Amino acid sequence: MPEVDLSQIVKAYDIRGVVGEQLHASTVREIGAALARLVGGEGARTVAVGYDMRDSSPGLAEAFAEGVTGQGLDVVDIGLASTDMLYFAAGTLDVPGAMFTASHNPAKYNGIKLCRAGATPIGQDTGLSAIREAVEQGVPAGPGGGSVRRQAMVEGYAEYLRGLVDLTGIRPLKVVVDAGNGMGGFTVPEVLGGLPCDVVPLYFELDGSFPNHEANPLDPANLVDLQKAVVAAGADLGLAFDGDADRCFVVDERGEPVSPSAITGLVAVRELAKAPGAAIIHNLITSKAVPELVREHGGQPVRTRVGHSFIKQTMAETGAVFGGEHSAHYYFKDFWKADSGMLAALHVLAALGEQAGPLSELMGVYERYSASGEINSTVADQADRVAAVKEVWGARPGVTFDGLDGLTVFQPDGAWFNLRASNTEPLLRLNVEAADPAAVAALRDEVLAIVRA
């Protein structure tokens, strides 16, 4: 096996690296064996494996399956899949799962997202560290004898999602969908087929080289084609998916992006209509409009740190019906507490299709404040810069602080900002929210002047 530094590819929530340099078939085979020993020791006998459209994905998935079957466990190969389809397989079959994808990363990357039965995530503290340690020490040979069987899941996945959102009475909608040459090109026709939606496809061809733009809708540059197409087609809205189609971004009829916080608010209100008084999770850099809306509709907002492991853990502890993040990850109790951008998209289609007005009018209820988006600054000493900011704001009357995840500063005028360190790079990440764009810009510039001094 090639000499591999696993510390470079085993991340907080998944495994990810450059294929042929950091990630090799031989390493992946060992990871498969290590996972099999981990979950086999907990009683699992089968592992579901899916993969995205990257050229390297089928071969890596096959190597992983060899590692699993070599330990005596069976594999259900679900073939091409979005990440939330792999979660569907892990949920409906009640088996652990492995999804081969590097999400929105460039073509040279690949990776593995792992979960236990019922789509329970496997992260650094819940198995990934043990898997890394086992591979570093050398995974003992297993008894062999495991089998591989193919099972297509896309039809069942599409049917299940449509069963969670009532779309029967919606008006016809024209929808432009930018799949970014990722897995949305595979799943969208299945999920939206048969609905009263005229789908205008952009970049549905599965191509892991991403010939048109990166499959990362969080970067505004990657939304430009969708924005233009929505206006040109006179569409009701646009949807953009990332490479593994677990995140969904929304553009209104004017071609204007809708903030993920506003989508979180909309879906939260819809879920509370089905489960009055329920808890709704939001991370600490979503808009303060989200907890306001949750309270106004009789729900209980619960604030968490950034990161899906915190969201899912808190959902389990509180019984929350829904959770949303600023990064357009949306988590549903009735989808095994896992995230599904497609399910969030169905909620938006249902909400829009139930009313006569345009999406911009509908979302006006949920867009209450202005936000900066995430701004990264490279700094030599993260703690020093955060302390400097805290010192300046600490001298101001009426200012309060929160240390749940980095430093959150609340001003008496209602504006707030969060400054938190990256776990993997010498970066400070800043998010600002205030009453209007001018107030956001002023607060942003004041904080950055200190951070970048």
Side-chain angles (χ1 to χ4, degrees), residues 325-342:
E325 291 200 277
H326 70 295
S327 55
H329 283 286
Y330 305 105
Y331 307 81
F332 297 84
K333 182 178 182 180
D334 49 13
F335 195 72
W336 300 279
K337 298 186 286 293
D339 45 322
S340 173
M342 191 69 74

Side-chain angles (χ1 to χ4, degrees), residues 53 178-183 203-208 210-213:
M53 67 294 144
D178 185 344
N181 299 109
M183 291 311 303
Y203 316 138
F204 271 37
E205 306 77 23
L206 300 183
D207 188 338
F210 307 114
N212 295 291
H213 60 70

Side-chain angles (χ1 to χ4, degrees), residues 10 13-15 31-32 34-36 38-39 47-49 64 68 83 86-87 90 96-101 111-117 119-123 126-128 131-132 308 312:
V10 178
Y13 312 124
D14 61 8
I15 295 162
I31 292 170
L35 174 84
L38 176 71
V39 298
V47 177
V49 178
F64 183 90
V68 173
T83 290
L86 186 277
Y87 294 150
M99 175 67 191
F100 280 81
T101 182
I112 321 170
K113 295 181 178 180
L114 300 170
C115 65
R116 286 184 169 84
T120 303
I122 294 177
T126 53
L128 263 186
I131 289 170
R132 170 183 163 183
H308 80 256
K312 290 175 179 175

Side-chain angles (χ1 to χ4, degrees), residues 51-75:
Y51 53 84
D52 70 10
M53 67 294 144
R54 293 166 188 268
D55 289 346
S56 60
S57 290
L60 292 176
E62 184 178 357
F64 183 90
E66 290 170 359
V68 173
T69 56
Q71 295 293 326
L73 272 65
D74 297 329
V75 167

Side-chain angles (χ1 to χ4, degrees), residues 170-175 196-199 236-237 348-350 352-353:
I170 68 168
R171 62 184 169 92
L173 298 170
K174 179 178 276 192
V175 189
C197 294
D198 176 9
V199 176
D236 294 290
L237 75 162
V348 174
L349 292 171
L352 179 59

